[in-house]
């Protein structure tokens, strides 16, 4: 069994090659003006002094509850920049008191009963890839203790309804194991967030995650047919329906509820035949905003490309998909049913008409072959999958590295884009420090777009968390001022709550609070996430 790192991304024995690390360290001079960088080694378990658990498991639950130091350390944080900074500081001062690994729904019911009657906060935990403080047991002083409820043992595809093309799947399954179980039937959920390797179905649903479909099925929401949850007052199950006009949609109350209303235990998911036909191309544009105009046209064309990602020149360069002087647009179509020649032809027409340069060898039209895995798209894809490992290494080298994403209607896109670039440079740089800001478009809609910014700067050693707050406040403030949302697909957690509170209406806050009180009367489920903390 490979063991995952308790402090960061991936398996203990995986990670970048020494040559990759040397290349990263060497690039920091020219890119960020950082010379003689010092690498902080990752923490070891022996270096940590974990606070003794403040509560203990009742005998009946000891089978599924542990106070093991590795498990407690591994459940202390998610995988955000703030989390990594504190891990590298060896700051594990607030671990969960207990970690539970239930085997079934009855176990979860018993755990919720125990926690509700003992005033112990429960933090549902899927893959632990939260980047917004969603799994951190930071619940305030009103609770006797905290329990991280890890769903990893609920990891099976239970049933496949081939006729309706749907599958009943347990919530704790991580991406690769989910796909492994669907593959023999020629099926796939086709939901591939960048965190796919170490994130779970329940986590995707609880956070409304965004997958690889750049248009149409951008969020997991569209793939959920029905849900089953265990709440402190009992089980809630929604009906399997392709659509319904019977009042507000019940499953939509729970999709995005981030563990505050109940524990998602399984879901019927809409699934797909594995694609056989693929078509793709990449186009180069003089500037990012010009490329974005083609993304708008594609999103409004009804062609529904599976991939429609625009990288600004530097983003393309850093991901090996361009030379750094042009924006690169990656477009891909996929189908299990029909050839895609007509779709490709029309998308090429739109791109070229808007001044996009498309080299003949950048066009691929294949059957049964992953056409996207070569050329610009292939380079971008492999860099995309390696990025989380390299991100941890950058933090070790003292680089501030964080991503900020949003969504905005097309009419306000350009102003928002420029305002965010300005805010990012101002807050991320300063005091003679270089700051690099890149942008890519990750998802596109007929009425708007989701831009995704990456900020790289020398970290203010010792004051990284303050630096994060400054940059986050400046960038998300600019996003909200210019019509954007706090997040397009990274969820709210604890870290983004102040921004979320600025964008939601009072009436909706009241309704959400009332739902929370009704389903979780003692307030033990993930306190401080989505709503202010407090029993
Ligand atoms: C490198 C990296 C890349 C990422 N890329 C993407 C991306 O491409 N798209 C994207 O959308 N996000 C991305 N994320 C963010 C993160 O992966 C998503 O939010 C993901 O959906 C979280 O899933 P998880 O299983 O890891 O959930 P966790 O981190 O374990 O939990 C997230 C939240 O959901 C709650 N929760 C988890 N499971 C359940 C359950 N069964 N029932 C109720 N509540 C539950 C938790 O309490 C917590 O509030 C990325 C993160 C990292 C670190």
């Amino acid at each position: 069994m490979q063991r995952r790192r308790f402090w960061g991304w991936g398996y203990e024995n995986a990670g970048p090659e020494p040559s990759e690390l040397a290349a990263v360290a060497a690039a920091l001079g020219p890119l960020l003006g950082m010379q003689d960088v010092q690498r902080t080694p990752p923490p070891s378990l022996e270096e940590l002094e974990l606070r003794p658990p403040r509560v203990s498991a009742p005998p009946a639950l000891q089978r599924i509850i542990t106070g093991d130091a590795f498990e407690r350390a591994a459940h202390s944080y998610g995988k955000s920049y703030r989390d990594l900074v504190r891990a590298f500081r060896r700051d594990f001062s607030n671990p969960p008191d207990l970690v539970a690994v239930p085997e079934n729904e009855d176990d979860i019911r018993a755990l919720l009963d125990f926690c509700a009657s003992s005033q112990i906060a429960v933090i549902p935990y899927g893959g632990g890839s939260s980047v917004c403080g969603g799994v951190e047991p930071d619940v305030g002083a009103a609770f006797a203790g905290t329990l991280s409820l890890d769903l990893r043992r609920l990891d099976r595809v239970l049933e496949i309804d081939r006729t309706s093309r749907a599958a009943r799947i347990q919530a704790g399954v991580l991406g690769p194991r989910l796909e492994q179980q669907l593959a023999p039937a020629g099926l796939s959920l086709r939901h591939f967030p960048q965190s796919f390797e170490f994130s779970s179905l329940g986590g995707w649903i609880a956070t409304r995650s965004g997958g690889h479909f750049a248009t149409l099925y951008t969020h997991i929401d569209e793939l959920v047919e029905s849900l089953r949850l265990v709440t402190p007052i009992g089980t809630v199950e929604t009906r399997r329906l392709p659509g319904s006009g019977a009042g507000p949609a019940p499953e939509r109350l729970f999709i995005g509820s981030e563990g505050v209303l109940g524990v998602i235990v399984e879901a019927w998911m809409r699934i797909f035949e594995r694609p056989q036909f693929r078509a793709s191309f990449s186009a180069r544009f003089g500037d990012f905003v010009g490329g974005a105009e083609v993304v708008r046209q594609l999103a409004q064309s009804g062609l529904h490309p599976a991939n429609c990602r625009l990288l600004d020149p530097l983003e393309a360069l850093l991901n090996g998909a361009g030379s750094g002087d042009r924006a690169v647009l990656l477009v891909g179509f996929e189908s299990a049913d029909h050839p895609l020649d007509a779709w490709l032809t029309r998308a090429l027409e739109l791109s070229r008409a808007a001044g996009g340069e498309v080299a003949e060898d950048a066009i691929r039209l294949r059957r049964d072959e992953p056409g996207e895995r070569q050329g610009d798209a292939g380079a971008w894809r492999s860099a995309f999958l390696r990025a989380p490992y390299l991100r941890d290494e950058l933090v070790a080298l003292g680089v501030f590295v964080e991503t900020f994403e949003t969504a905005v209607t097309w009419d306000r896109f350009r102003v928002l884009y420029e305002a965010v670039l300005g805010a990012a440079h101002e807050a991320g740089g300063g005091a003679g420090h270089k700051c690099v800001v890149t942008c890519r478009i990750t998802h596109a809609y007929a009425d708007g777009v989701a831009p995704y910014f990456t900020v790289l700067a020398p970290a203010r050693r010792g004051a990284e968390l303050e630096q994060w707050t400054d940059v986050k406040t400046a960038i998300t403030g600019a996003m909200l001022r210019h019509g954007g949302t706090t997040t397009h697909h990274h969820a709210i957690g604890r870290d983004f709550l102040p921004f979320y509170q600025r964008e939601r209406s009072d009436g909706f806050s009241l309704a959400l609070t009332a739902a929370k009180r009704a389903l979780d009367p003692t307030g033990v489920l993930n306190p401080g996430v989505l709503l202010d903390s407090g029993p």
Side-chain angles (χ1 to χ4, degrees):
M1 278 284 283
Q2 284 177 300
R3 198 164 73 157
R4 282 174 63 182
R5 291 177 176 153
F6 71 84
W7 55 269
W9 186 258
Y11 290 114
E12 283 179 340
N13 57 359
E17 300 295 324
S19 59
E20 271 180 290
L21 298 183
V24 169
L28 295 180
L31 195 65
L32 299 176
M34 294 172 70
Q35 311 294 344
D36 303 324
V37 286
Q38 300 295 318
R39 179 176 183 272
T40 308
S44 68
L45 202 57
E46 296 67 45
E47 289 174 284
L48 310 184
E49 278 179 37
L50 296 185
R51 176 185 66 203
R54 295 166 295 178
V55 290
S56 52
L61 293 176
Q62 281 172 3
R63 169 181 62 84
I64 50 165
I65 292 184
T66 175
D68 171 70
F70 178 87
E71 290 285 356
R72 291 178 66 214
H75 289 78
S76 295
Y77 294 125
K79 302 290 177 292
S80 71
Y81 175 74
R82 294 181 75 248
D83 299 334
L84 278 166
V85 165
R86 288 176 292 168
F88 277 110
R89 285 181 187 171
R90 280 77 177 145
D91 173 4
F92 284 76
S93 51
N94 187 31
D97 296 289
L98 303 170
V99 176
V101 279
E103 287 172 359
N104 51 45
E105 263 183 56
D106 287 342
D107 286 348
I108 296 174
R109 257 178 235 114
L111 286 164
L112 292 188
D113 284 350
F114 159 61
C115 289
S117 60
S118 313
Q119 204 50 39
I120 295 172
V122 182
I123 292 114
Y125 187 101
S129 67
S130 168
V131 283
C132 55
V135 291
E136 180 175 346
D138 178 12
V139 298
F143 294 89
T146 55
L147 176 140
S148 185
L149 196 161
D150 187 326
L151 290 136
R152 66 186 180 224
R153 288 185 177 164
L154 276 69
D155 68 349
R156 282 178 306 133
V157 172
L158 299 170
E159 208 175 328
I160 294 178
D161 170 355
R162 188 134 211 158
T163 311
S164 318
R165 243 187 33 203
R168 184 159 70 94
I169 307 173
Q170 289 185 307
V173 67
L174 299 186
R177 188 160 153 67
L178 191 169
E179 287 296 326
Q180 244 170 36
Q181 293 175 75
L182 293 176
L187 297 167
S188 167
L189 181 63
R190 303 208 68 58
H191 186 73
F192 301 112
Q194 188 180 28
S195 53
F196 174 76
E197 200 180 351
F198 299 110
S199 57
S200 68
L201 175 66
W204 298 339
I205 297 172
T207 60
R208 304 185 65 192
S209 76
H212 90 299
F213 284 116
T215 67
L216 207 61
Y217 309 111
T218 55
H219 286 89
I220 194 81
D221 311 26
E222 315 310 326
L223 309 181
V224 177
E225 190 180 67
S226 74
L227 281 178
R228 188 172 164 84
L229 292 98
V230 177
T231 79
I233 61 150
T235 303
V236 178
E237 188 160 10
T238 70
R239 293 186 60 205
R240 283 191 65 198
L241 287 167
S244 165
E251 68 281 358
R252 295 274 167 167
L253 177 63
F254 300 107
I255 298 173
S257 62
E258 299 191 35
V260 310
L261 299 180
V263 181
I264 300 163
V265 287
E266 59 181 61
W268 274 97
M269 300 298 296
R270 302 184 173 114
I271 52 179
F272 299 86
E273 303 281 345
R274 297 181 95 76
Q276 305 225 8
F277 301 90
R278 288 188 170 87
S280 65
F281 67 90
S282 62
R284 288 165 195 242
F285 290 87
D287 70 273
F288 186 69
V289 173
E293 178 54 21
V294 177
V295 173
R296 182 179 72 80
Q297 290 174 19
L298 284 166
Q300 294 175 346
S301 67
L303 292 169
H304 302 311
N307 191 8
C308 185
R309 293 201 158 78
L310 180 71
L311 318 179
D312 78 7
L314 188 56
E315 174 91 18
L317 178 71
L318 293 177
N319 288 285
S323 48
D325 54 348
R326 317 288 261 181
V328 176
L329 174 66
L330 308 171
V331 179
F333 296 94
E334 56 183 42
S335 170
D337 181 72
H338 46 259
L340 293 155
D341 309 49
W343 281 256
L344 181 73
T345 305
R346 178 66 186 137
L348 278 167
E349 229 169 66
L350 287 172
S351 301
R352 285 182 167 138
E357 292 163 21
V358 186
E360 281 309 311
D361 65 357
I363 305 174
R364 295 173 205 285
L365 186 59
R366 301 264 164 84
R367 185 171 179 165
D368 281 325
E369 261 189 54
E372 279 188 15
R373 311 248 159 113
Q374 297 158 34
D376 285 341
W380 178 76
R381 187 176 180 280
S382 62
F384 183 71
L385 296 176
R386 306 277 310 141
Y389 288 97
L390 284 173
R391 196 262 317 237
D392 290 11
E393 194 53 39
L394 286 172
V395 178
L397 292 169
V399 177
F400 175 90
V401 46
E402 183 59 300
T403 58
F404 304 87
E405 37 80 67
T406 188
V408 65
T409 48
W410 281 114
D411 62 320
R412 307 185 75 170
F413 164 65
R414 188 174 182 148
V415 173
L416 175 138
Y417 168 70
E418 283 165 4
V420 171
L421 285 187
H425 279 293
E426 200 177 318
H433 289 312
K434 280 194 182 178
C435 167
V436 166
V437 186
T438 69
C439 184
R440 65 176 187 253
I441 287 178
T442 61
H443 300 86
Y445 303 87
D447 58 344
V449 61
Y452 185 107
F453 299 85
T454 301
V455 178
L456 294 162
R460 289 186 222 146
R461 290 282 200 179
E464 291 93 341
L465 300 182
E466 291 78 4
Q467 183 178 14
W468 180 89
T469 303
D470 291 348
V471 177
K472 176 75 186 164
T473 304
I475 291 182
T476 306
M479 288 169 170
L480 292 177
R481 268 196 310 283
H482 294 286
T485 171
T486 304
T487 174
H488 173 263
H489 59 261
H490 278 173
I492 296 299
R494 296 178 172 79
D495 298 349
F496 306 165
L497 182 59
F499 303 103
Y500 178 50
Q501 284 169 328
R502 276 167 61 184
E503 72 169 275
R504 78 180 176 209
S505 70
D506 292 345
F508 183 73
S509 296
L510 287 173
L512 191 58
T513 307
K516 166 86 173 161
R517 283 213 188 101
L519 294 167
D520 178 23
T522 54
V524 290
L525 276 174
N526 223 359
V529 166
L530 288 182
L531 296 161
D532 281 326
S533 182

